[in-house]
Amino acid sequence: MKRRSSELRAALSAIDRQHLRRTRRDVERFPDPANRTLLHLQGRDVIDFSSNDYLGLAHHPELVEAMAACAARCGAGSGAAHLITGHGIEHAHLEEELAAYTGRERALLFSTGYMANLALLSTLSGRHESVILDRLSHASLIDGALLSGARLRRFAHNDSGAAAQLLANSRHPVAILATEGVFSMDGDLAPLPELARLAHEYDAWLVVDDAHGLGVLGASGRGSLEHWSLESDAVPVLMGTLGKAFGAFGAFVAGCADLIELLLQRARPYIYTTALPQAVAAAARTALRIAQRESWRRERVLALAGLFRRSALQAGLQTGEALTPIQPLLLPDERSALAAQARLFDAGFAVAAIRPPTVPVGRSRLRITLSAAHTEEQVHALVGALADTLS
Ligand SMILES: *Cc1c(COP(=O)(O)O)cnc(C)c1O
């Protein structure tokens, strides 16, 4: 084992040399139990500008109550996989509600978005086919393509012309063209109308991972597709998560009945795993209702994102292009991103330094995210601290 152990140490010191060591900090408590933007960690209270709780639902009392009440009825765990006895009435209702919310025939729940993407890509593509992805696609889309055994090709970020060339020149039939609706680290929007046209022309599945668009974009919060006024025929495969804007946990794929049935029959990340607890599904159902009922949450997070961008610009800081809750501030390298993160923590803010391989080499950054639970004062205070830190 000696050689193996020294390999571990060598791998870890290589990570350190590149300033790529990742560390976790324990959130010890939430000083305001109804609002997760305030965290107590490493001995102090800080304002969190790094979560994906865009609508401020993660600590909503109605979600917490729904979860507790369901756990009292159904227990803490589901006990089995969906196809055995783990699938409960809360799951069934949530799937129906998600299908209705997204305007699709059916929806299928997954424990995580990561697994949903593995399931989608490995079911809809295989060897002797190609998968074409935006270069900045989430790791789970890439891993799904690798799992499928298909040829993976990636096009320059949001460049539909480059995607068209890959489609035209592919030696294998293209099974899937996939992208994120809103990019998780840049907050910009994929050119979905052009990608939909291309997928249609080449008879490929267009898969849109709308982890960061659902609940936030579009006139009624139905995400990137609503933002672009795209019907479900244009984007036949929609993936969404329940742990971000919806403040709960889990994920889903929505599409036509045959697509969902085939995933249920074939997708190993669906079949061979324990169903998520029904209590989690109950919380997600409540979130879905609140998100539709309280459209002010969506309007508010976008207004705060706009406020952040305007004041950052006035302070001489260059932020994201698009008006979404994800606002990146690019920094010269990994070290300066880490240093900025540390200085902001000292100033009372939790802001994440994002480094490779989450983002490409040379694109390290602070990823600032807004939530409907933030106040204007908190946003102004953050911009002040950023200006002090980065100037
Ligand atoms: C977060 C995320 C996922 C994974 O979802 P989880 O439910 O957290 O596993 C997939 N795709 C994108 C674009 C994401 O940002």
Side-chain angles (χ1 to χ4, degrees):
M1 283 309 287
K2 233 161 133 202
R3 187 164 60 86
R4 292 283 164 221
S5 311
S6 66
E7 280 172 11
L8 296 180
R9 278 195 305 277
L12 288 169
S13 28
I15 291 172
D16 284 334
R17 273 197 309 280
Q18 301 166 75
H19 305 285
L20 294 178
R21 170 85 71 152
R22 298 171 188 242
T23 53
R24 302 178 303 178
R25 293 175 295 182
D26 303 346
V27 175
E28 290 146 29
R29 60 194 153 80
F30 297 93
D32 177 359
N35 183 339
R36 90 160 291 299
T37 62
L38 213 54
L39 310 177
H40 190 84
L41 56 113
Q42 292 179 316
R44 56 178 307 177
D45 289 352
V46 292
I47 303 163
D48 189 6
F49 277 100
S50 57
S51 90
N52 304 309
D53 181 27
Y54 304 126
L55 301 180
L57 291 175
H59 285 214
H60 195 293
E62 276 184 55
L63 266 73
V64 176
E65 262 168 48
M67 199 166 186
C70 182
R73 288 193 312 276
C74 309
S78 66
H82 282 282
L83 292 172
I84 309 297
T85 50
H87 189 72
I89 193 75
E90 292 291 331
H91 299 126
H93 285 316
L94 176 56
E95 286 183 345
E96 281 163 20
E97 288 156 9
L98 287 167
Y101 182 72
T102 56
R104 312 275 163 155
E105 284 176 6
R106 263 184 96 181
L108 189 68
L109 273 181
F110 286 84
S111 295
T112 69
Y114 187 91
M115 293 160 79
N117 280 339
L118 291 189
L120 266 179
L121 281 274
S122 62
T123 303
L124 295 183
S125 62
R127 294 196 310 140
H128 315 299
E129 292 182 314
S130 295
V131 168
I132 296 181
L133 301 181
D134 185 286
R135 181 157 289 286
L136 296 189
S137 293
H138 193 262
S140 54
L141 289 167
I142 296 167
D143 293 355
L146 296 176
L147 182 64
S148 74
R151 300 284 296 259
L152 171 58
R153 291 280 180 271
R154 297 198 284 167
F155 57 91
H157 178 51
N158 278 349
D159 184 342
S160 49
Q165 278 198 339
L166 289 182
L167 281 157
N169 298 335
S170 178
R171 275 191 285 126
H172 304 276
V174 178
I176 294 175
L177 176 62
T179 183
E180 297 178 34
V182 174
F183 282 84
S184 60
M185 296 297 136
D186 292 77
D188 54 351
L189 274 59
L192 292 185
E194 283 111 86
L195 296 178
R197 196 181 45 71
L198 286 171
H200 183 75
E201 184 182 339
Y202 287 90
D203 199 21
W205 289 106
L206 178 59
V207 173
V208 173
D209 171 344
D210 210 18
H212 300 275
L214 271 177
V216 175
L217 293 187
S220 73
R222 279 168 172 72
S224 304
L225 275 60
E226 187 179 31
H227 170 88
W228 294 107
S229 305
L230 288 170
E231 300 297 327
S232 27
D233 321 346
V235 182
V237 189
L238 174 65
M239 177 279 200
T241 64
L242 302 167
K244 288 168 180 164
F246 295 118
F249 182 78
F252 68 93
V253 171
C256 69
D258 284 345
L259 167 74
I260 298 305
E261 186 61 21
L262 189 68
L263 287 171
L264 189 153
Q265 298 300 329
R266 286 267 180 81
R268 295 160 69 94
Y270 181 75
I271 300 168
Y272 296 105
T273 194
T274 301
L276 72 169
Q278 290 209 63
V280 169
R285 292 183 68 196
T286 307
L288 202 57
R289 273 200 297 277
I290 299 177
Q292 291 173 83
R293 180 180 83 205
E294 301 185 358
S295 54
W296 63 264
R297 291 179 180 275
R298 192 167 40 74
E299 287 152 19
R300 177 166 174 78
V301 68
L302 294 177
L304 289 173
L307 173 68
F308 173 78
R309 283 171 68 205
R310 282 193 307 281
S311 11
L313 206 63
Q314 272 168 15
L317 303 166
Q318 189 67 47
T319 66
E321 299 159 24
L323 185 60
T324 66
I326 303 168
Q327 296 291 321
L329 274 173
L330 286 174
L331 290 169
D333 53 36
E334 288 70 56
R335 252 204 328 213
S336 43
L338 283 179
Q341 172 180 273
R343 283 199 297 272
L344 285 163
F345 185 79
D346 291 340
F349 300 96
V351 172
I354 307 287
R355 292 163 290 162
T358 307
V359 290
V361 173
R363 305 277 296 168
S364 284
R365 69 197 60 192
L366 294 174
R367 174 183 186 259
I368 291 147
T369 50
L370 284 304
S371 166
H374 286 130
T375 64
E376 278 86 1
E377 293 70 41
Q378 289 174 331
V379 173
H380 285 301
L382 173 68
V383 174
L386 284 168
D388 289 346
T389 302
L390 300 177
S391 58

